[in-house]
């Protein structure tokens, strides 16, 4: 196997902290989250072979840097240092809802759990939460109990840096 630089993505004014590859309606995208508070979308349908500028910027931005993004069931989720998780509809480029605040500290990591149609989020304070995708959004802005399935103190006294879902299990680091 050979590795080489296929291109450079331009357009953020801060460090890119996370990225996700998404295939939607036979189009390929690279989506990035940055310390500049924005998620940006790059068209990668023909492969990235040279410098690229974003085709779209998702608005409104977070109030602080984005730490994690994840794609699940036709939606993008972004988690930020502002303790918020946003749900985005990529075809319209619009925010479909947000959980403000989702945690008491910054959102460090996100994972989509397809078996439950749920989103898992992890925080710097060691908390792991599981959110219902169906109830996540506008109705949940005022009442977390409508979308929160479970909450556990997974890492008492220490931060969760990342989470992954595989084979009906959530793994934390």
């Amino acid at each position: 196997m050979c590795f080489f630089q296929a291109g450079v993505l331009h357009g953020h004014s801060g460090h890119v902290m996370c990225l996700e590859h998404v295939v939607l309606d036979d189009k390929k995208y690279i989506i990035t989250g940055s310390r500049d508070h924005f998620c940006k979308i790059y068209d990668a349908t023909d492969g990235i072979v040279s410098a690229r500028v974003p085709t779209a910027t998702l608005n409104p931005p977070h109030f602080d840097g984005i730490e994690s993004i994840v794609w699940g069931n036709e939606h993008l989720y972004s988690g930020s240092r502002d303790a918020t998780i946003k749900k985005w509809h990529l075809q319209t480029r619009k925010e479909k809802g947000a959980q403000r605040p989702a945690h008491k500290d910054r959102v460090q990591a996100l994972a989509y759990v397809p078996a439950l149609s749920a989103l898992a989020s992890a925080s710097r304070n060691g908390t792991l939460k599981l959110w219902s995708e169906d109830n996540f959004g506008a109705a949940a802005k005022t009442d977390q109990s409508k979308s929160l399935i479970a909450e556990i103190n997974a890492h008492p006294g220490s931060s969760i840096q990342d989470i992954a879902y595989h084979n009906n299990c959530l793994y934390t680091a």
Side-chain angles (χ1 to χ4, degrees), residues 19-87:
L19 61 86
E20 185 82 355
H21 178 261
V22 173
V23 178
L24 181 64
D25 297 332
D26 296 326
K27 294 195 98 179
K28 297 176 185 174
Y29 300 97
I30 300 292
I31 304 168
T32 55
S34 169
R35 285 201 176 155
D36 66 8
H37 310 185
F38 287 97
C39 287
K40 296 194 182 266
I41 302 171
Y42 299 83
D43 187 346
T45 301
D46 61 353
I48 297 174
V49 294
S50 62
R52 295 284 178 143
V53 294
T55 56
T57 300
L58 299 179
N59 279 299
H62 281 272
F63 293 113
D64 205 339
I66 297 169
E67 294 288 317
S68 182
I69 56 177
V70 68
W71 175 253
N73 196 22
E74 305 300 314
H75 293 98
L76 180 78
Y77 296 89
S78 57
S80 173
R81 296 166 63 109
D82 65 9
T84 299
I85 301 170
K86 290 189 175 199
K87 180 179 182 179

Side-chain angles (χ1 to χ4, degrees), residues 95-107:
E95 180 184 315
K96 283 202 64 173
Q99 206 56 67
R100 293 183 187 98
H103 287 270
K104 292 178 183 169
D105 205 336
R106 70 176 65 166
V107 177

Side-chain angles (χ1 to χ4, degrees), residues 148-167:
L148 186 62
I149 297 170
E151 176 179 357
I152 61 169
N153 190 4
H155 289 204
S158 66
S159 177
I160 299 175
Q161 298 299 316
D162 205 0
I163 55 178
Y165 172 80
H166 177 70
N167 203 22

